[in-house]
Amino acid sequence: MNMSFFDQFASPCLLGIPLILLSMLFPTLLLPSPNNRWITNRFSTLQLWFINLITKQLMIPLNKNGHKWALILTSLMTLLLLINLLGLLPYTFTPTTQLSMNMALAFPLWLATLIIGLRNQPSISLGHLLPEGTPTPLIPALILIETTSLLIRPLALGVRLTANLTAGHLLIQLISTASTVLLPIMPTISILTTTILLLLTILEVAVAMIQAYVFVLLLSLYLQENI
Amino acid sequence: VLHATRPVHTTQQRLAPLPPLPEKGGEVRHGLIPEEFFQFLYPKTGVTGPYMLGTGLLLYFLSKEIYVINHETVAAACILSVIIYGIKKFGADVAAFADKLNEEKVANALAVKNAAIKGLETAIEEEKKEQWRVEGRSFLFDAKRNNIAMLLETNYRERLMTVYNEVKKRLDYQVALQNLKRQKEQDHMIQWVEKNVVQSITPQQQKESITKCILDLKALSKSVQVAV
């Protein structure tokens, strides 16, 4: 039983065995295993259509070299999407609420794009630090600002995902607590709060999907600049 | 060793042809519980058996506080209602969409097959036509032969005409040459005769002819005056 509102974010542990890895593997339960048929069942067809859609959308702005990232970006998108959506079920632990996991995803991928850019085309990569058409007196300040913005990217990626999901889950908990507590006292207000909770749930579903997409989209953008 | 383990095999142990997918999925009631469960309980507890079991279990969990109603219950109710609403509203459309994707895949393959068949049929038609055309080959060759003969004839006649014209030009030249010579000789002779005649007219003869002319004129004038 939860004593505080933050116990839902505690990394699950059973008899001292950390279960975080198991909870990160749960999304695989939702994916159908590919079988060697040409015409598959509806689920497999839809999964294939969905993955084709995502990959096409992500790969259109990238050049030939960027297409090597298709697998990792698509699988990352699927993972984040399913983890986020599964986390909306009650009594579930959402791994993406842990800053450690999101930083572990964001930092290496961002660093990979940066190193690829600096290694293969250093002048173009550094050239992104100065937008076109800036007035000459502003150049030093702008380069400092752009460098800061570049270095803060992994932090932003990780914290964005963590904050969105944590905030959503906390809000759900708070509003559902309010509605439960108000039920014997003022049933009408309780019903109103439940309506708010319903709308919030719909919002959370949308946020779960959008946050996954935004994460991967930003990574692909950073890749576009550097590859 | 293979025979001993054969009863444990679950699949067909061959890759092709694949067994066909069943037409419909397993029957489920309320989207979660397979129909087989209801059939399993039917002999002992009848139609309402599983529902009684479910209600009893739920009430047991609630009364013994194995499941405590807390804020998560409300959150669970909300997310479940959203999920169920989504499935009920969009389920059929999504299924139709998936079926359409599969249909398109099959239709594309069928289209390729039909296009190939059609192409081959067209080729057969063309071949038959060619065979029919072969029968009329002799007429074609005759016509071509006549054509060529006519061309040759025309060419020959043209060249004959050219030769004739050339020869005529040469002969005309010779004729004109002779005429010119004769003309020149004639003119020269006439001139010579005239010159000699003019030279031979002596002054004596000139005076005699002039007085004769005057006498004639007078005579004439007299006759004219008489006439008037």
Side-chain angles (χ1 to χ4, degrees):
Chain A
M1 305 304 120
N2 295 336
M3 301 305 293
S4 83
F5 284 116
F6 293 98
D7 286 340
Q8 61 178 316
F9 301 126
S11 191
C13 216
L14 184 65
L15 301 175
I17 306 170
L19 298 175
I20 179 79
L21 195 59
L22 187 63
S23 65
M24 277 178 68
L25 291 176
F26 273 146
T28 55
L29 292 174
L30 287 176
L31 296 171
S33 51
N35 53 0
N36 54 351
R37 285 174 180 277
W38 182 49
I39 303 287
T40 51
N41 51 358
R42 286 171 181 167
F43 201 15
S44 298
T45 317
L46 285 172
Q47 178 203 32
L48 183 64
W49 166 82
F50 183 64
I51 288 184
N52 280 347
L53 187 74
I54 299 177
T55 318
K56 206 164 54 161
Q57 286 297 316
L58 284 175
M59 291 297 124
I60 282 178
L62 292 172
N63 59 2
K64 202 76 180 297
N65 277 338
H67 290 176
K68 290 185 214 162
W69 284 62
L71 180 62
I72 193 170
L73 287 179
T74 312
S75 55
L76 183 65
M77 166 101 184
T78 317
L79 177 75
L80 289 176
L81 185 68
L82 289 174
I83 285 184
N84 290 351
L85 284 175
L86 271 179
L88 288 170
L89 295 171
Y91 299 108
T92 350
F93 170 70
T94 322
T96 38
T97 51
Q98 306 295 310
L99 186 64
S100 53
M101 167 173 160
N102 294 345
M103 289 304 287
L105 283 175
F107 196 87
L109 290 171
W110 163 83
L111 193 63
T113 61
L114 187 68
I115 290 182
I116 285 177
L118 284 177
R119 187 175 181 272
N120 294 348
Q121 40 183 40
S123 357
I124 301 181
S125 265
L126 289 173
H128 281 301
L129 289 177
L130 187 66
E132 270 186 43
T134 59
T136 325
L138 275 177
I139 290 182
L142 209 56
I143 293 190
L144 285 173
I145 293 173
E146 289 282 336
T147 314
T148 323
S149 128
L150 176 74
L151 293 175
I152 219 169
R153 275 177 185 175
L155 199 66
L157 272 178
V159 171
R160 180 185 301 112
L161 190 56
T162 315
N164 266 299
L165 263 85
T166 316
H169 284 245
L170 265 178
L171 264 177
I172 289 180
Q173 299 282 346
L174 282 169
I175 297 184
S176 55
T177 310
S179 119
T180 317
V181 164
L182 281 174
L183 192 58
I185 307 172
M186 290 186 281
T188 329
I189 307 291
S190 174
I191 292 175
L192 201 65
T193 323
T194 316
T195 320
I196 295 178
L197 182 59
L198 206 62
L199 295 171
L200 183 67
T201 313
I202 299 174
L203 177 69
E204 278 310 306
V205 170
V207 163
M209 297 193 278
I210 289 172
Q211 283 307 314
Y213 178 60
V214 158
F215 192 95
V216 174
L217 187 70
L218 281 174
L219 267 178
S220 81
L221 277 173
Y222 302 154
L223 187 64
Q224 244 178 290
E225 285 183 352
N226 284 318
I227 199 150
Chain B
V1 172
L2 199 60
H3 316 299
T5 51
R6 196 160 283 191
V8 193
H9 290 169
T10 45
T11 54
Q12 303 240 18
Q13 292 298 311
R14 66 175 176 202
L15 288 174
L18 281 171
L21 282 175
E23 272 291 319
K24 299 168 62 66
E27 288 278 314
V28 273
R29 225 188 267 201
H30 308 297
L32 276 178
I33 308 154
E35 192 63 37
E36 283 86 4
F37 182 66
F38 291 83
Q39 297 305 319
F40 173 68
L41 288 181
Y42 181 75
K44 288 284 160 43
T45 53
V47 176
T48 50
Y51 296 108
M52 291 307 298
L53 177 64
T55 320
L57 265 178
L58 182 63
L59 288 174
Y60 167 68
F61 285 141
L62 284 173
S63 68
K64 291 267 191 179
E65 295 211 339
I66 296 176
Y67 177 71
V68 180
I69 294 203
N70 51 7
H71 60 279
E72 297 252 16
T73 315
V74 173
C78 283
I79 186 72
L80 282 176
S81 57
V82 166
I83 291 175
I84 292 176
Y85 173 73
I87 289 180
K88 280 219 181 311
K89 186 140 189 255
F90 302 114
D93 289 338
V94 167
F97 177 68
D99 285 339
K100 190 167 72 93
L101 285 175
N102 276 347
E103 285 298 310
E104 277 174 17
K105 214 169 162 187
V106 170
N108 278 343
L110 270 179
V112 166
K113 184 182 92 163
N114 286 342
I117 288 179
K118 211 165 294 242
L120 286 172
E121 277 177 3
T122 325
I124 292 176
E125 295 292 324
E126 298 278 310
E127 182 61 31
K128 286 209 171 79
K129 210 168 178 192
E130 287 299 314
Q131 282 175 351
W132 169 78
R133 279 190 187 149
V134 161
E135 289 165 19
R137 225 179 6 183
S138 54
F139 300 119
L140 187 70
F141 291 159
D142 278 341
K144 283 195 178 207
R145 210 175 289 131
N146 285 343
N147 222 7
I148 290 177
M150 219 176 301
L151 277 174
L152 283 173
E153 183 77 29
T154 320
N155 199 13
Y156 173 68
R157 298 245 172 111
E158 275 176 11
R159 283 187 299 156
L160 209 57
M161 189 73 186
T162 322
V163 164
Y164 169 76
N165 284 339
E166 287 294 310
V167 167
K168 186 154 175 314
K169 268 201 287 199
R170 306 269 188 287
L171 291 176
D172 280 343
Y173 174 70
Q174 294 300 326
V175 161
L177 206 63
Q178 280 180 352
N179 283 348
L180 183 69
K181 197 162 174 207
R182 167 104 41 93
Q183 188 86 4
K184 282 279 177 235
E185 283 174 357
Q186 223 170 354
D187 286 341
H188 187 253
M189 256 198 285
I190 291 173
Q191 260 184 325
W192 186 80
V193 164
E194 276 182 5
K195 197 166 73 172
N196 278 345
V197 164
V198 164
Q199 270 178 345
S200 70
I201 297 179
T202 58
Q204 175 75 15
Q205 276 177 318
Q206 207 167 351
K207 221 180 246 181
E208 268 181 30
S209 66
I210 287 176
T211 44
K212 182 113 187 346
C213 284
I214 291 172
L215 279 173
D216 278 338
L217 275 172
K218 275 191 186 157
L220 270 172
S221 70
K222 272 190 198 142
S223 64
V224 167
Q225 271 178 350
V226 169
V228 169

